Amino acid sequence: MTNSDKQLRLYQIFSAKLVLEVFGGAGAIWGFSEAVGLRVPSTVWFWRPCALTFGAIFFVRWLMQIQDHIADEKIHFFAGGKAVKGSDEEQVSLAPQKMYS
């Protein structure tokens, strides 16, 4: 699998995880507090920070999962035109070449 294929797969996996795990975690707190009757107009001031706190915790978890996935799959970003050791794609240097000896 080429590096660009790995990058595309990373975007596909983690965009879904962002919606389901991060936004879903915050939304579950928000929705459950309403479903059991705890969130009413007078207690929104309490439940909004609770939902945002859970969302922030799951966002940090999501970032850590991305970091682990990039390391495990050896995905490279911004190689700077240099060949990356162990890369399965040939990279062309964009630096100007000396034309005369």
Side-chain angles (χ1 to χ4, degrees):
M1 184 180 279
T2 65
N3 193 53
S4 60
D5 291 338
K6 290 178 183 180
Q7 287 177 3
L8 178 62
R9 188 70 183 137
L10 174 90
Y11 297 134
Q12 291 170 340
I13 291 169
F14 286 96
S15 60
K17 283 182 171 268
L18 177 67
V19 172
L20 296 172
E21 295 179 9
V22 177
F23 301 154
I29 297 299
W30 186 256
F32 184 74
S33 65
E34 182 177 11
V36 297
L38 298 174
R39 185 169 55 89
V40 294
S42 62
T43 61
V44 169
W45 64 270
F46 175 77
W47 289 105
R48 184 170 288 136
C50 287
L52 290 173
T53 300
F54 274 86
I57 290 168
F58 281 107
F59 182 70
V60 170
R61 177 181 177 267
W62 179 77
L63 290 174
M64 292 171 61
Q65 287 178 340
I66 289 176
Q67 185 179 18
D68 290 343
H69 185 81
I70 289 171
D72 291 345
E73 293 293 323
K74 297 178 178 65
I75 301 172
H76 304 286
F77 296 93
F78 310 114
K82 297 179 182 177
V84 177
K85 186 176 181 179
S87 175
D88 42 350
E89 282 187 344
E90 180 181 336
Q91 297 184 1
V92 178
S93 174
L94 300 177
Q97 302 296 317
K98 185 175 179 183
M99 296 184 70
Y100 303 104
S101 308

